[in-house]
Amino acid sequence: MSEQVRRPLPHDFHPRVPTFEVTSDDVPTGGRLHSAQLYSEGNTSPHLRWEGFPPETRSFAVTCFDPDAPTGSGFWHWSVFDIPASVTELPTGAGTGDMKGLPEGAVHVRNDFGTRDFGGAAPPPGDGPHRYVFTVHAVDSEKLGPDAEGSPAFVGFNLRFRTLARGELIAEHEVPGEG
């Protein structure tokens, strides 16, 4: 098998903005995802908490992206936005798609699995470690612009122009190859 290529993170192509802290009770920064965050097991979005964002923040967007997916364009696992600025934490399982763990007005778009929820890690066996980048974007308006029919790429396009600051938490997962 060829050597795995470490691709850039999605916001590496966006203008530089200040950063803030994102933590989780479920996912250790720089650590490995737990079985609950795997597509084949729990398929559960992790708890996320953030602080230190600019006071002019009007809403938040949360994304999860695997830049190491063997697609040529990475893989979007989660994209939710229009989270009110008063919300600084999402509980475990907020990304189930039933919207129960999300505040009123939040919007999910389809992930690359084709569903409006969090889609857990599912790298191909033997493909090496994949990074899962959970990013919280502090947005300068209450509404980002897209609706639930948008794509994660369209959300990212809007975030490029509306993000005041961002924080990220990166964890890894790998499925060993056979033999």
Side-chain angles (χ1 to χ4, degrees):
M1 173 163 258
S2 64
E3 186 176 315
Q4 182 188 26
V5 175
R6 298 288 271 195
R7 294 179 180 89
L9 302 179
H11 43 271
D12 286 350
F13 302 103
H14 291 192
R16 290 189 182 271
V17 294
T19 61
F20 56 91
E21 185 174 8
V22 176
T23 59
S24 174
D25 293 344
D26 300 327
V27 177
T29 300
R32 299 193 100 29
L33 291 177
H34 297 292
S35 61
Q37 283 81 50
L38 305 184
Y39 187 77
S40 62
E41 296 187 36
N43 210 38
T44 303
S45 62
H47 162 268
L48 295 171
R49 177 185 316 107
W50 51 93
E51 62 185 0
F53 49 88
E56 59 272 16
T57 300
R58 298 293 169 253
S59 68
F60 295 101
V62 175
T63 60
C64 179
F65 182 72
D66 172 2
D68 304 312
T71 64
S73 61
F75 198 93
W76 290 100
H77 287 262
W78 196 19
S79 186
V80 61
F81 54 92
D82 292 353
I83 298 168
S86 60
V87 175
T88 59
E89 187 169 14
L90 294 180
T92 301
T96 60
D98 64 10
M99 306 300 277
K100 287 183 182 174
L102 293 173
E104 186 174 333
V107 178
H108 262 141
V109 296
R110 284 186 178 88
N111 56 36
D112 283 343
F113 289 110
T115 58
R116 283 189 186 94
D117 57 8
F118 171 78
D127 200 47
H130 284 222
R131 294 168 292 164
Y132 295 86
V133 183
F134 293 88
T135 306
V136 179
H137 307 261
V139 179
D140 68 0
S141 62
E142 290 181 10
K143 301 291 182 188
L144 183 60
D147 62 20
E149 296 303 316
S151 68
F154 187 55
V155 171
F157 173 83
N158 282 272
L159 287 170
R160 181 187 202 298
F161 301 102
R162 307 308 301 257
T163 296
L164 298 168
R166 75 177 61 86
E168 68 181 24
L169 183 151
I170 302 175
E172 291 188 350
H173 180 66
E174 178 178 7
V175 177
E178 294 182 26

